[in-house]
Amino acid sequence: MHSFIFYIFLVWLSCLSDLTVMCYKIPEVKLEVLQNGFRVSIPHEPGIENVAFNINRNRPFKAFEPGEYSNRIRTQINNLWFLETQRRLQDDDTIYVWTDVQFNKSRYRDISTPIAVSHALRGQASQSGASTIPPMIAVSQVPQSVNEIAPTTTTEEPPAIDQRNDKCEPSLTTIHNRKVCRGQLIFEENFDGDQLDASRWRYEVRLPLDIADAEFVLYDTNAELSNGLLKIEPRLWGNDSPNADIQKGDLNLGARCTAYQNPEVECQRHSFGRVVLPPVLSARINTKHAFSFKYGRVEVRAKLPQGDWLFPLLLLEPLVNYYGQQPYASGQMRIAFLRSNLNLQTGSGVEVGGRVLHGGAVLCAESNNRDKFMVNTSRGAHFGESFHIYSLTWNDRLLRLDVDGQNYGTVEGGYAQIVNDFNNAWANGNYMAPFDQEFFITLGVAAGGHGDFPDEYSSKPWVNSSPKAALYFWRDRHNWKSTWISPALQVDYVRAYAI
């Protein structure tokens, strides 16, 4: 103890002994929201040799660990050390930053106070009329020349997420290009508490895009947490009020809307003629802002919905539409899929309802080809009668599907050679393209739609190609609503592991 105090005294004395050499303290990081991304920065001081920024969105750092965005900057510009990304932020985002500064051959680290995006500077460069920093320069794209000093990115490979395990085995799994240890638990959600953890999950508040398989729902914030379970229960428009009429009224989600691609379609609807309001209200949540990964195993313990024309959403969806904006050009993986009807058969009498579980990949919108890259298994009872553990393992060769620890099928890669529609784009990826990018987790419940119930199914009250499909579905509610004996999706936990 005495030696430690003496050491502190020597450090203090050394700081005072030479006025030209000062002890350095990292200043608070400044966040600026730009038109196409954001910038974090600290001011330059003589003696700074390089600066590393580590940034997380909506997820605090537990230690000095790599961030969602991590780069070391070797050169300052106009008396600022800064890092820019092209990730757009939302007003409810919170940015966490820790900074590593090399100052006069010594290293300093500091975790900054969390910064709410709503409190950050917006458009400072464009509003001032003149910018002291070149506007929106991506660090990896800054030109190098004799007359131009620019920041460069480090070529050092970031460390694994958890270095504490001395027996860390190499893993195929990556998180934002960072390596992890094989078998490591990389995500876990047990839904404790009474509300969603906003640092992990975010509601989708929107109408489905008007594409070939749009569901007949409005996704809103009607999920519940109770007794360690997530519960998403769909309900009818107007709570089945006798005066409810989906052919009348307007819907405008306003600032709450979380449109993905087309706000005019996803955020508002004016009912007229064949255009109706969504017949069903439900919920859909995802980890897009907080957690995504490439290759791994996902487990979900859940009780699936029971009720005609419902289906659960236990999905892996692409973080970026790397292969284009067309429906499913970048793929979708289904951890578990169920047509939740109590009794549902094809025209030839084959059972396809709630006793048949599916899992695998979706690569096209057409309902007749929807199951082409999925496998299935049957049980004597509806899968929604009890909890089961649904698992999808995703590697660089195949998808493996399990239920309660039993494998029921695999889906091989090589989709570029099988599906002609996107062959040229997927050919630029690896054998698993489009499943060679990062994906995030989505949970929810949907109803009806143009893609998941082929027209050959008996007793189906709408035709997929009909512009009035949602209206016909609504008009038949007196037949199918009585079957919604347990329409909620209940999720006990979600876990993801490195492989």
Side-chain angles (χ1 to χ4, degrees):
M1 183 65 181
H2 293 291
S3 61
F4 177 76
I5 295 174
F6 181 69
Y7 170 76
I8 295 297
F9 173 77
L10 288 178
V11 172
W12 174 78
L13 187 62
S14 67
C15 290
L16 296 178
S17 62
D18 186 351
L19 294 179
T20 63
V21 180
M22 301 177 62
C23 285
Y24 177 73
K25 183 180 186 305
I26 300 176
E28 282 293 319
V29 171
K30 182 171 73 172
L31 171 68
E32 296 171 83
V33 179
L34 308 177
Q35 183 177 1
N36 294 311
F38 67 92
R39 171 194 298 141
V40 295
S41 65
I42 62 170
H44 174 63
E45 293 183 29
I48 298 181
E49 299 168 5
N50 57 71
V51 176
F53 294 98
N54 297 269
I55 308 167
N56 277 345
R57 290 174 305 119
N58 305 307
R59 186 172 68 249
F61 287 99
K62 296 180 179 179
F64 292 115
E65 57 193 356
E68 184 178 358
Y69 306 98
S70 298
N71 268 305
R72 182 169 294 280
I73 311 304
R74 304 292 183 180
T75 308
Q76 56 89 16
I77 290 181
N78 296 336
N79 290 317
L80 277 183
W81 297 88
F82 67 93
L83 172 64
E84 292 185 353
T85 81
Q86 294 183 346
R87 174 73 192 199
R88 293 189 178 184
L89 300 177
Q90 300 184 33
D91 283 344
D92 59 348
D93 283 339
T94 299
I95 299 300
Y96 297 85
V97 185
W98 72 266
T99 312
D100 181 308
V101 177
Q102 185 165 335
F103 180 89
N104 285 340
K105 309 302 180 183
S106 297
R107 299 284 291 276
Y108 297 82
R109 289 180 171 183
D110 184 58
I111 296 180
S112 296
T113 303
I115 309 170
V117 171
S118 58
H119 297 159
L121 294 175
R122 285 188 173 273
Q124 184 184 38
S126 60
Q127 293 173 6
S128 64
S131 174
T132 58
I133 307 175
M136 203 52 216
I137 299 177
V139 173
S140 61
Q141 298 173 349
V142 176
Q144 299 285 347
S145 68
V146 175
N147 298 320
E148 184 176 17
I149 299 176
T152 58
T153 59
T154 179
T155 58
E156 300 170 355
E157 184 173 270
I161 286 178
D162 189 348
Q163 293 285 345
R164 293 171 296 179
N165 184 357
D166 295 334
K167 298 181 180 179
C168 179
E169 297 182 9
S171 169
L172 189 64
T173 303
T174 58
I175 300 175
H176 302 305
N177 295 319
R178 291 186 285 118
K179 297 181 179 180
V180 296
C181 302
R182 180 180 298 175
Q184 181 179 337
L185 179 65
I186 56 176
F187 181 87
E188 182 175 25
E189 177 60 80
N190 296 306
F191 298 108
D192 297 324
D194 57 2
Q195 60 183 357
L196 283 175
D197 183 346
S199 69
R200 295 182 171 210
W201 300 96
R202 184 161 292 170
Y203 279 105
E204 298 181 27
V205 180
R206 63 181 181 87
L207 293 156
L209 273 170
D210 190 17
I211 56 177
D213 69 330
E215 313 91 282
F216 303 152
V217 300
L218 164 64
Y219 294 117
D220 211 326
T221 58
N222 57 319
E224 300 176 3
L225 265 67
S226 178
N227 299 320
L229 293 176
L230 167 71
K231 183 178 181 181
I232 298 177
E233 183 169 354
R235 59 185 177 88
L236 297 188
W237 181 265
N239 200 22
D240 205 19
S241 167
N243 297 322
D245 189 348
I246 65 173
Q247 292 184 276
K248 296 179 181 179
D250 295 326
L251 175 65
N252 192 331
L253 298 172
R256 297 194 309 119
C257 185
T258 60
Y260 278 4
Q261 298 180 31
N262 189 342
E264 292 186 1
V265 173
E266 297 175 87
C267 298
Q268 55 190 341
R269 182 171 296 176
H270 171 64
S271 58
F272 67 94
R274 67 188 186 187
V275 179
V276 297
L277 300 179
V280 176
L281 305 182
S282 189
R284 180 171 176 148
I285 62 174
N286 67 58
T287 66
K288 185 175 184 179
H289 71 290
F291 173 73
S292 59
F293 67 108
K294 176 180 173 181
Y295 305 136
R297 185 176 81 254
V298 182
E299 291 182 358
V300 181
R301 184 175 186 269
K303 187 173 184 288
L304 303 184
Q306 292 178 279
D308 287 2
W309 316 121
L310 297 174
F311 58 94
L313 303 169
L314 276 63
L315 310 174
L316 294 180
E317 297 190 280
L319 181 64
V320 177
N321 288 322
Y322 184 81
Y323 291 102
Q325 299 295 328
Q326 304 97 323
Y328 304 109
S330 296
Q332 180 192 90
M333 288 177 275
R334 298 193 168 185
I335 304 166
F337 171 73
L338 193 74
R339 296 179 178 94
S340 297
N341 296 53
L342 303 186
N343 294 286
L344 183 63
Q345 296 182 340
T346 66
S348 58
V350 177
E351 176 61 34
V352 290
R355 296 191 292 275
V356 183
L357 175 70
H358 302 257
V362 177
L363 294 171
C364 59
E366 292 76 17
S367 61
N368 291 333
N369 294 318
R370 185 59 63 91
D371 294 346
K372 186 173 183 178
F373 298 100
M374 288 198 284
V375 294
N376 63 75
T377 184
S378 300
R379 294 265 176 103
H382 195 292
F383 276 90
E385 290 188 1
S386 59
F387 280 86
H388 298 279
I389 299 175
Y390 303 99
S391 174
L392 181 147
T393 303
W394 160 40
N395 62 31
D396 59 355
R397 302 303 297 176
L398 54 80
L399 305 178
R400 172 189 167 112
L401 285 307
D402 294 81
V403 57
D404 298 327
Q406 297 182 346
N407 174 247
Y408 66 91
T410 58
V411 181
E412 296 285 340
Y415 309 113
Q417 288 73 43
I418 302 172
V419 182
N420 295 325
D421 292 349
F422 304 112
N423 183 45
N424 292 335
W426 295 345
N428 296 325
N430 68 19
Y431 180 72
M432 281 298 287
F435 303 115
D436 59 349
Q437 305 297 317
E438 287 206 358
F439 280 65
F440 60 89
I441 301 170
T442 292
L443 303 174
V445 178
H450 301 272
D452 284 296
F453 295 92
D455 289 336
E456 64 168 317
Y457 290 176
S458 61
S459 71
K460 183 169 173 247
W462 76 96
V463 176
N464 287 331
S465 59
S466 172
K468 295 184 178 181
L471 178 60
Y472 294 146
F473 169 78
W474 168 257
R475 287 176 175 173
D476 192 58
R477 65 189 183 281
H478 302 295
N479 289 322
W480 48 257
K481 181 59 171 65
S482 61
T483 71
W484 287 17
I485 56 175
S486 180
L489 169 68
Q490 299 182 64
V491 182
D492 181 17
Y493 63 75
V494 179
R495 295 170 186 165
Y497 298 87
I499 59 171

